[in-house]
Amino acid sequence: MLEDKFGRRFHYLRLSITDVCNFSCDYCLPDGYQCDTPRDFLTLDEIRTVTRAFAGLGTSKIRITGGEPSLRKDLNEVIKICAGTEGIKQVAITTNGFKLDKDIDNWIAAGLTSLNVSIDSLDPRQFADITGHNKLDVILAGIDKALTAGIQVKVNAVLMKQFNQTQFQQFLHWLETKPLTLRFIELMQTGDNLEFFDANHLSGQPLKEQLLAEGWSQVIRDKAAGPAQEFHHPDYAGRIGLIMPYSKDFCASCNRLRISSTGKLHLCLFADQGLELRQFMQEQDETALQQALVDLLADKQATHWLQDGYTGGTKHLAMLGG
Ligand code: SAM
Ligand code: SF4
């Protein structure tokens, strides 16, 4: 098992397969995807090699992310490769959901075990305002299809002062009958969004206090479950998760490593740079890749420096998949 000098164990890989996105979320790609780097994304053979290398080092969960991963025409093959690799027990995807209704059955047939969909507002007009696309209805239909198929569903909503702060009650009402986990994510500063961040960042702490006051109970989770805090309530079919990267000790339960769509290892979402590993993927050399991973992990830092406004080399999260 990959373990760092602080005793954190990494059983979870976030694998970005493209940095292209068709949405233009205000906090991420407000001007849409800018094609300013070559689109030289990992091939299926390279994905196979990196998946096997991680699995051989104890990784059991892979999240496929982007950009928008469903823009890749070979997404089904990517899911199949991950799901078919010995040792991989969970294959998840994070998507904006625009192809969900059409493709979820194929993804499940390929081996997908869980799904994260990003929905920042349940108000169709506000959703379109934030993302640039009037697609809320079809995304919600896709979520219902995924729930009917029995797959685990989480919905990600980024908290933003000027947008969806007032959405909290509507989201809660939705959870009364939807058996899914709704995860509120604190807006994170990135290289490109400082002004937006300053105007919109909201702490999750008051939400946590409100939930506890309204009868929600915090779920006791294993440290290996990662940094999200989860809450349940007997009157609700759904659960709530809070992801509070600005809170104390957030990084202590870090359980994930990231590979970018061009094959770089990112030890943290806010690292200065990605570490070049593509050569080993191109040569399909799993052993050399594993050795490099073990060596490079020695440089993983105890924490990010987001509280000090330090965002490393991350211009926006579409670069890496969040
Ligand atoms: N396009 C896919 C999607 O939106 O789900 C996957 C990539 S997106 C970068 C992954 C997650 O990061 C999404 O849930 C998105 O809301 C979140 N995200 C993007 N930028 C963020 C920021 N600055 N702060 C907090 N979350 C952010
Ligand atoms: Fe695209 Fe996801 Fe970023 Fe929105 S959050 S712009 S859907 S990558």
Side-chain angles (χ1 to χ4, degrees), residues 206-271:
L207 274 190
K208 178 173 174 177
E209 284 155 21
Q210 183 181 339
L211 289 173
L212 293 173
E214 290 177 5
W216 291 77
S217 310
Q218 186 157 0
V219 179
I220 308 295
R221 296 173 90 214
D222 192 79
K223 189 180 167 221
Q229 302 184 32
E230 234 175 73
F231 302 83
H232 71 95
H233 190 295
D235 300 340
Y236 290 78
R239 288 184 168 203
I240 293 186
L242 287 178
I243 301 183
M244 301 198 287
Y246 290 86
S247 65
K248 194 173 150 289
D249 292 337
F250 180 78
C251 301
S253 50
C254 183
N255 60 2
R256 66 220 41 207
L257 293 170
R258 295 174 169 86
I259 293 284
S260 76
S261 56
T262 55
K264 292 189 170 127
L265 172 70
H266 287 252
L267 292 170
C268 173
L269 192 47
F270 298 101

Side-chain angles (χ1 to χ4, degrees), residues 14 21 27-28 65-69 94-96 116-118 120 156 158 185-190 193 317-318 321-322:
R14 298 180 74 113
C21 189
Y27 48 82
C28 183
T65 180
E68 177 44 43
T94 301
T95 173
N96 63 27
N116 279 26
V117 188
S118 303
D120 298 318
N156 293 347
V158 177
I185 307 175
E186 279 183 4
L187 177 65
M188 290 175 250
Q189 185 186 333
T190 60
N193 77 0
L317 297 197

Side-chain angles (χ1 to χ4, degrees), residues 21-42:
C21 189
N22 55 333
F23 278 22
S24 47
C25 301
D26 285 314
Y27 48 82
C28 183
L29 296 175
D31 302 319
Y33 176 71
Q34 307 294 311
C35 189
D36 50 9
T37 47
R39 295 180 179 190
D40 183 20
F41 303 130
L42 293 176

